[in-house]
Amino acid sequence: MKKGRIEAFSDGVLAIIITIMILEIKTPESGHARAMFGMIPYFVSFVVSFILVCIGWYNQHYVISVTKWFSRRAFWANSVWLFVMAFLPVATAWVSEFWWMRAPEMFYLIVYACWNITFHIFIAVLYRDHKDKYPKVSKKLAETRAGQKKFMWLHVILFTIGFILTYFWPMMSIAIIFIESVIWFGNVPRKRGDQFEI
């Protein structure tokens, strides 16, 4: 399968996800500045979710840029990752509406954890598809996987702490996801000139 079709499909899905999140932003009920304070929970969750989508898009485009082709299983691995990300607007809206409650915050944390896991699976599938026929591509994908594996223990610890703390203090899920986003942001491939570099 041509990778350009995968990029176009993925871009469309991610654009719709961001659009839905933006449409969920409600207009304040009065013209006073203090009316914006009631919107703070949504703005916080929206910013975190938006950063997550941007990081996902950037990482996905890097991975696709170094690949040669897409197998059927790579297509479905990418589709499962997009499917998980499609829950972000629901999780973001639910958290913003009931930010003090455990269930919405746990759901948000679960969506993020699944996003993390499915992206690692996506890269692993691409690596397996390229490792025999395209050694240069598999080397770049291996470097990407190695970079992500360096922080795997930290992800596991943060998610464990996040689930425990969120049970007692629901708002901790947003803090954990924000920290996770910072880790991902610090680990994204760098772009130099027209070429991506790790």
Side-chain angles (χ1 to χ4, degrees), residues 36-186:
M36 291 297 288
F37 287 109
M39 304 289 291
I40 289 174
Y42 190 82
F43 285 133
V44 170
S45 57
F46 173 77
V47 167
V48 172
S49 295
F50 187 85
I51 290 170
L52 177 62
V53 173
C54 291
I55 290 170
W57 180 87
Y58 189 93
N59 276 280
Q60 185 211 37
H61 273 269
Y62 169 75
V63 170
I64 291 175
S65 75
V66 300
T67 58
K68 294 289 186 183
W69 68 292
F70 257 69
S71 66
R72 183 183 298 175
R73 64 182 179 178
F75 167 77
W76 285 110
N78 182 62
S79 297
V80 170
W81 176 69
L82 291 172
F83 172 77
V84 170
M85 196 178 287
F87 282 96
L88 268 180
V90 177
T92 304
W94 198 19
V95 162
S96 67
E97 197 76 28
F98 303 99
W99 55 269
W100 66 93
M101 298 188 73
R102 188 184 301 147
E105 299 284 355
M106 283 286 193
F107 179 69
Y108 195 47
L109 200 56
I110 288 168
V111 168
Y112 183 80
C114 292
W115 175 91
N116 203 323
I117 292 165
T118 53
F119 192 76
H120 284 291
I121 292 170
F122 171 56
I123 294 175
V125 169
L126 287 175
Y127 172 74
R128 282 198 298 271
D129 287 345
H130 288 80
K131 70 176 181 178
D132 294 327
K133 292 183 180 179
Y134 303 100
K136 288 183 180 178
V137 172
S138 62
K139 182 183 176 184
K140 289 180 182 177
L141 291 171
E143 289 170 352
T144 303
R145 290 180 73 198
Q148 291 176 345
K149 283 180 179 179
K150 276 194 307 187
F151 295 99
M152 189 64 72
W153 62 271
L154 186 55
H155 293 309
V156 172
I157 290 171
L158 280 172
F159 281 130
T160 304
I161 292 171
F163 281 111
I164 293 168
L165 292 180
T166 300
Y167 184 84
F168 298 102
W169 301 286
M171 275 297 286
M172 287 305 298
S173 71
I174 297 289
I176 294 295
I177 293 171
F178 180 73
I179 293 168
E180 278 281 311
S181 298
V182 169
I183 293 169
W184 271 91
F185 180 76

